Amino acid sequence: MTKTMITGVQPSGNFTLGNYIGAIKNFVKLQKEHNSFIFIADLHGLTSYQKPEDIKNRILDLAALYLACGVDPNYTNFFVQSDVNEHGTLGFLIAFQCRVGELSRMTQYKSKKEKQGKEGIDLGLLIYPTLMAADILLYDAEVVPVGMDQKQHIEMTRDLGERFNKRYGSTFKLPDYYIPEVGAKIMNLQNPTEKMSKSAPIDDKGTIFILDDINITKKKIMSAVTDNDNKIYFDEENKPGISNLISIYSAITNKTIKEVEGMFVDQNYGTLKKEIASELERFILPIQERYNNYRYSDNLYKILNKGAKEAEKYASKKLLEVREKLGIKY
Ligand code: AMP
Ligand code: TRP
């Protein structure tokens, strides 16, 4: 039977090459073989304060970008999370099945809480995984393409789904994460032991934003931090900068790490960087063009509305089943 696949991305920050390689690329590759859902996780985006006007624009920006990156509404139900009420409701019901302790031990919670400092509001961060579990369990999704940083959340989703099934009888299918072999974690070009993050400022020299001017992107590649060894091979521990560049090249050209190593055996770092810069140009320019076509077209709203209606058909059925199991459907 065709498996269901789902993934989501928050409308915060600016979409990076890391987001594309870690999440969207795989989704696009797999969308036709699955019953596919992809959504903009706007509720998750509310866990850090953003101006309402900004969040609204980012939802539309991201939607246009996803389509430009190859999400195909003919194969995929593409929607905004908050347009399907069942996500919030199931997230709430799942939170009732959790202990504070298990949620407060989650890696992302701990690191984000620290960053927010004393003034931060952290209940949203604490229950972030319960909403994410609801996103996945609502559709009986079994395949969840995400970057490495989300692995723990998928494991938590399995645990919570299993817990519910044990207490109330078989209700949810349990998901597996799908982490790409290459590019599971694209690193910052200036600081290659840190993840390339979309919350980086737009002028961050180590972060490639897909919608940035291509000349700026090329400059960022040319000034990426490397090492003094001047040999091109993959070794994340001792050569994090070069290994990251190899991963990027391999992901955008669909070549294996071995193939890339082979291509650049006798080359120097400058050649590798120039080659990546020109491949990136070839890869990014058409995305930017398609993005511009979608962003201000009515078609964008039509696609999102249709996706939400379709998603709701599945989600409402599942929520009804959950209510029945819980005894709150009379
Ligand atoms: P986020 O930007 O944290 O909302 O993440 C959206 C998706 O992109 C998630 O599946 C992440 O795991 C993935 N992702 C984000 N940054 C990277 C990165 N630097 N390398 C690989 N995947 C990433
Ligand atoms: N938490 C994910 C991230 O930051 C986004 C997300 C929300 C998600 N709900 C999801 C990803 C469900 C996969 C499935 O990247």
Side-chain angles (χ1 to χ4, degrees):
M1 228 179 72
T2 316
K3 285 189 176 174
T4 295
M5 170 173 77
I6 195 161
T7 195
V9 180
Q10 289 190 44
S12 54
N14 293 296
F15 196 78
T16 69
L17 187 63
N19 291 131
Y20 175 80
I21 294 174
I24 303 309
K25 181 172 187 274
N26 285 290
F27 187 92
V28 167
K29 201 170 81 190
L30 300 171
Q31 65 185 337
K32 292 184 190 169
E33 298 152 29
H34 293 82
N35 182 24
S36 305
F37 295 82
I38 192 164
F39 63 93
I40 297 176
D42 58 344
L43 296 173
H44 282 110
L46 294 177
T47 48
S48 61
Y49 176 76
Q50 300 179 66
K51 284 196 203 125
E53 205 41 43
D54 287 351
I55 200 165
K56 198 173 179 177
N57 280 324
R58 284 203 170 115
I59 290 170
L60 296 168
D61 291 348
L62 253 190
L65 242 176
Y66 272 21
L67 293 166
C69 287
V71 168
D72 184 340
N74 293 317
Y75 294 97
T76 295
N77 300 305
F78 180 35
F79 61 100
V80 177
Q81 186 186 31
S82 69
D83 276 342
V84 181
N85 280 324
E86 284 79 359
H87 287 247
T89 310
L90 185 62
F92 189 71
L93 294 173
I94 286 180
F96 282 3
Q97 312 292 326
C98 287
R99 293 179 189 282
V100 173
E102 64 186 334
L103 293 173
S104 63
R105 282 192 294 274
M106 299 294 283
T107 317
Q108 180 175 292
Y109 172 74
K110 287 195 284 194
S111 74
K112 289 208 173 165
K113 185 174 184 245
E114 234 164 62
K115 280 191 196 132
Q116 285 206 342
K118 275 205 177 119
E119 277 87 55
I121 298 166
D122 59 12
L123 184 61
L125 287 180
L126 188 69
I127 59 170
Y128 185 109
T130 62
L131 178 61
M132 184 157 161
D135 295 338
I136 297 167
L137 298 174
L138 259 181
Y139 301 95
D140 280 323
E142 292 176 277
V143 183
V144 190
V146 285
M148 192 66 99
D149 59 331
Q150 295 299 312
K151 188 172 161 211
Q152 198 184 33
H153 286 149
I154 311 296
E155 284 162 355
M156 171 71 106
T157 302
R158 283 184 73 87
D159 289 348
L160 295 175
E162 204 171 13
R163 182 177 306 171
F164 192 99
N165 287 347
K166 277 203 183 125
R167 268 192 193 154
Y168 298 103
S170 175
T171 310
F172 298 120
K173 279 201 176 144
L174 305 179
D176 261 325
Y177 42 81
Y178 178 93
I179 293 174
E181 263 168 60
V182 175
K185 201 167 181 187
I186 296 297
M187 305 311 235
N188 185 293
L189 299 172
Q190 288 298 317
N191 190 356
T193 51
E194 263 191 21
K195 183 182 119 165
M196 184 182 284
S197 161
K198 68 181 179 190
S199 53
I202 192 85
D203 60 354
D204 184 69
K205 288 198 175 65
T207 307
I208 292 180
F209 298 105
I210 298 279
L211 291 180
D212 226 351
D213 183 322
I214 192 67
N215 292 314
I216 296 178
T217 291
K218 287 164 104 177
K219 270 195 202 129
K220 287 180 179 176
I221 290 288
M222 295 312 293
S223 61
V225 165
T226 53
D227 51 53
N228 295 324
D229 160 54
N230 227 356
K231 288 200 187 75
I232 299 177
Y233 61 95
F234 192 86
D235 175 353
E236 272 178 324
E237 201 170 311
N238 300 307
K239 296 168 71 68
I242 286 297
S243 302
N244 192 37
L245 289 174
I246 293 177
S247 292
I248 291 174
Y249 188 82
S250 139
I252 57 171
T253 58
N254 291 314
K255 290 189 165 65
T256 63
I257 298 284
K258 277 262 159 308
E259 283 169 339
V260 180
E261 281 178 334
M263 282 176 69
F264 292 99
V265 178
D266 298 319
Q267 310 285 341
N268 60 30
Y269 291 173
T271 314
L272 174 68
K273 287 178 171 180
K274 267 193 218 135
E275 198 55 42
I276 296 176
S278 75
E279 283 298 336
L280 269 177
E281 179 167 15
R282 230 191 346 223
F283 161 75
I284 287 179
L285 286 183
I287 292 181
Q288 291 184 346
E289 194 183 321
R290 289 195 292 271
Y291 167 84
N292 288 325
N293 290 337
Y294 276 117
R295 178 62 178 85
Y296 297 100
S297 117
D298 282 348
N299 203 17
L300 186 62
Y301 298 90
K302 280 191 198 137
I303 290 169
L304 292 175
N305 276 329
K306 181 169 162 273
K309 283 210 181 91
E310 216 35 58
E312 195 163 26
K313 282 189 203 158
Y314 291 84
S316 60
K317 245 200 223 155
K318 186 52 87 179
L319 188 63
L320 202 63
E321 188 188 341
V322 169
R323 289 181 57 196
E324 270 160 4
K325 292 271 167 63
L326 286 171
I328 56 170
K329 171 82 185 67
Y330 53 89

